[in-house]
Amino acid sequence: MWSRWKAGQSLHQIGRAFGKSHVSIHFLLSQHGGIIPAARRRSLVTLTLAEREDISRGIAAGSSIREIAKGLQRAVSTVSREVARHGGRPQYRASEADQQAWESALRPKLCLLAMHVKLQTIVASKLILDWSPEQISACACLTKPFTAACSFKHVEC
């Protein structure tokens, strides 16, 4: 579609080539401003599928996380978080972990405020009191990673 658009074909011509309405083609093109989106690629610092397979083999061989990390020349915390994030030692599967990591890297993501109603309530109440965004973000309960365990009954910020 993008090569046809770049070659100067009309929306109707592109639509006919793909068996779609010109409105559908316009919608797809307008989402990116008529410019072909950049191909997704992984960051150079993320674990690769080969590294994840090495982690999986190390787990299967009974190696410690420290030994696996040393073999990969990665931080122990990186390997530990990777294994914990994807089901722990008994459930870790390299291909599933890689696929999940690829999908979770998609942007845009919902912000914390959109996902937590209690947090929305606190922020809204502070805005009503004419607090600045800086004051709200400095509030002690909000500066820590937001968790459901955080008690909001006695927020004294």
Side-chain angles (χ1 to χ4, degrees):
M1 174 180 73
W2 293 104
S3 59
R4 291 174 185 270
W5 175 250
K6 192 173 181 178
Q9 290 186 7
S10 71
L11 295 175
H12 289 281
Q13 291 171 323
I14 297 170
R16 275 193 295 274
F18 290 104
K20 300 285 183 186
S21 134
H22 71 280
V23 177
S24 299
I25 302 301
H26 179 268
F27 175 76
L28 292 171
L29 290 171
S30 65
Q31 283 183 317
H32 300 284
I35 301 169
I36 187 168
R40 283 186 66 199
R41 61 181 191 270
R42 293 177 189 262
S43 167
L44 297 175
V45 295
T46 60
L47 290 169
T48 64
L49 178 57
E51 289 174 316
R52 287 187 169 97
E53 288 171 348
D54 287 343
I55 292 170
S56 185
R57 281 192 289 275
I59 290 171
S63 301
S64 70
I65 297 293
R66 191 171 298 279
E67 291 170 344
I68 296 168
K70 187 176 180 181
L72 293 173
Q73 297 180 338
R74 291 283 195 155
V76 175
S77 60
T78 299
V79 176
S80 177
R81 280 194 305 266
E82 170 71 12
V83 172
R85 188 181 296 125
H86 299 289
R89 291 181 75 96
Q91 295 179 337
Y92 187 83
R93 300 292 177 271
S95 60
E96 292 173 14
D98 193 63
Q99 183 62 37
Q100 186 179 350
W102 181 249
E103 289 170 3
S104 69
L106 284 173
R107 300 288 189 262
K109 294 185 178 196
L110 286 177
C111 68
L112 203 57
L113 194 59
M115 295 188 298
H116 298 285
V117 176
K118 287 183 179 181
L119 185 59
Q120 292 172 9
T121 305
I122 291 171
V123 171
S125 68
K126 301 303 180 189
L127 288 171
I128 289 172
L129 296 173
D130 286 331
W131 280 34
S132 71
E134 291 80 11
Q135 289 173 310
I136 295 170
S137 66
C139 184
C141 191
L142 303 180
T143 57
K144 299 173 188 164
F146 184 79
T147 62
C150 188
S151 173
F152 297 104
K153 295 176 183 172
H154 59 278
V155 175
E156 298 177 12
C157 303

